[in-house]
Amino acid sequence: MKRVVIALLPLTLLGAGCNPKDEDNLKRDAGNLAQSASTALSNASVSGKVNAVLSWRRDLDISGIKIEVEGGKVTLSGHVPSEAQHHTILDLVKGTKGVENVDDSIKAD
């Protein structure tokens, strides 16, 4: 969060010599930037947790899986060697903190 504040500081300083409309635009843009940064951090956090949970399981081959996160929705695609691994991966992802919904497009070979 400190990085977001530091990133927004120059925008605030630039606003010192602006007209009221420009100042309002800068405030809106700074708010949008802060929201985007927060969303990106949240997505990265959930993605990291999912990757960590799956990587800890040495019995799973996740090399053929693509993981995408948007908000609390995790999209899984790719291939796994077996249906048993497919089900294990789904169970692990669904049980990961921060995951609200799973879109499963994984195919078992």
Side-chain angles (χ1 to χ4, degrees):
M1 195 55 143
K2 288 182 182 180
R3 291 181 185 170
V4 173
V5 172
I6 291 170
L8 296 178
L9 184 59
L11 291 175
T12 305
L13 295 175
L14 285 174
C18 297
N19 66 43
K21 184 175 180 179
D22 289 340
E23 188 176 334
D24 288 341
N25 288 338
L26 280 173
K27 287 180 184 176
R28 184 191 69 241
D29 290 346
N32 290 341
L33 179 62
Q35 181 61 41
S36 294
S38 176
T39 300
L41 287 172
S42 176
N43 289 346
S45 175
V46 172
S47 180
K49 289 176 188 175
V50 168
N51 278 299
V53 165
L54 295 178
S55 296
W56 289 333
R57 292 289 301 264
R58 297 202 184 273
D59 59 324
L60 296 178
D61 178 5
I62 60 169
S63 62
I65 297 177
K66 180 177 179 185
I67 301 167
E68 297 179 55
V69 178
E70 182 66 38
K73 180 182 178 186
V74 176
T75 302
L76 302 171
S77 59
H79 294 271
V80 293
S82 70
E83 196 60 42
Q85 284 196 22
H86 181 198
H87 288 295
T88 300
I89 289 167
L90 283 178
D91 289 343
L92 290 169
V93 172
K94 288 177 182 178
T96 303
K97 186 175 181 177
V99 174
E100 297 169 8
N101 187 15
V102 177
D103 181 12
D104 174 29
S105 297
I106 294 176
K107 305 287 187 233
D109 293 334

